[in-house]
Amino acid sequence: MRVEKIKNAILKNKNKDLMGFVGEQFGNNRSVHEIMNHLQTLKKLNDNTLMLGIARMDQIETDYDHSKFLPSLLAITGIMFGIYVKTLDLVLVFILASFLSIALLYIMKKERRMRANAVYFRSLLIQVKEAKKRSNK
């Protein structure tokens, strides 16, 4: 893989596309040889690209961290259902709650993979940066 391809992916791709790229190029579906080649390519990135990549992975990790807003969302949902139980039929409230819960779980499961890829790639970038720093001493 070329250095420019990784650099462009880190700096220009949208978050979803970047995480797809990371999953494809550095995921478990690759052979050990391919992953090692990609790691060597990462080591050729300049320090600015590494810093921007680490910062971008932090941002993506934060964006897809559901633990920050899930408690508030559950509290608001509970209050809404408490109000609806008094005004609507209990069966209708149950159907609505089930639908919302399934939708929320689906979205969280889908985005969890993106967060995991961001954590993984950030770790790789940090280790590459540290290795470059040690080799320059």
Side-chain angles (χ1 to χ4, degrees), residues 11-110:
L11 299 178
K12 295 180 180 179
N13 283 8
K14 294 181 180 180
N15 290 348
K16 219 174 217 182
D17 296 335
L18 176 58
M19 292 299 90
F21 175 80
V22 168
E24 289 171 12
Q25 301 301 321
F26 296 91
N28 293 337
N29 58 339
R30 293 287 184 169
S31 71
V32 173
H33 179 71
E34 287 175 309
I35 292 172
M36 291 302 171
N37 284 341
H38 293 329
L39 185 58
Q40 292 305 316
T41 305
L42 281 180
K43 290 179 180 181
K44 295 176 186 174
L45 291 172
N46 63 36
D47 289 341
N48 290 336
T49 303
L50 288 172
M51 287 188 326
L52 289 169
I54 292 167
R56 183 130 187 240
M57 293 306 112
D58 283 340
Q59 180 245 337
I60 291 170
E61 182 182 353
T62 302
D63 286 351
Y64 293 102
D65 184 5
H66 300 295
S67 67
K68 297 198 183 342
F69 70 85
L70 188 61
S72 303
L73 184 62
L74 290 175
I76 291 169
T77 303
I79 291 169
M80 287 174 47
F81 288 135
I83 293 169
Y84 288 145
V85 165
K86 293 177 183 175
T87 59
L88 298 174
D89 184 28
L90 189 57
V91 174
L92 182 61
V93 171
F94 177 76
I95 291 170
L96 182 62
S98 299
F99 175 75
L100 287 176
S101 298
I102 290 169
L104 184 62
L105 288 173
Y106 174 76
I107 291 168
M108 287 175 55
K109 183 177 185 261
K110 187 176 175 184

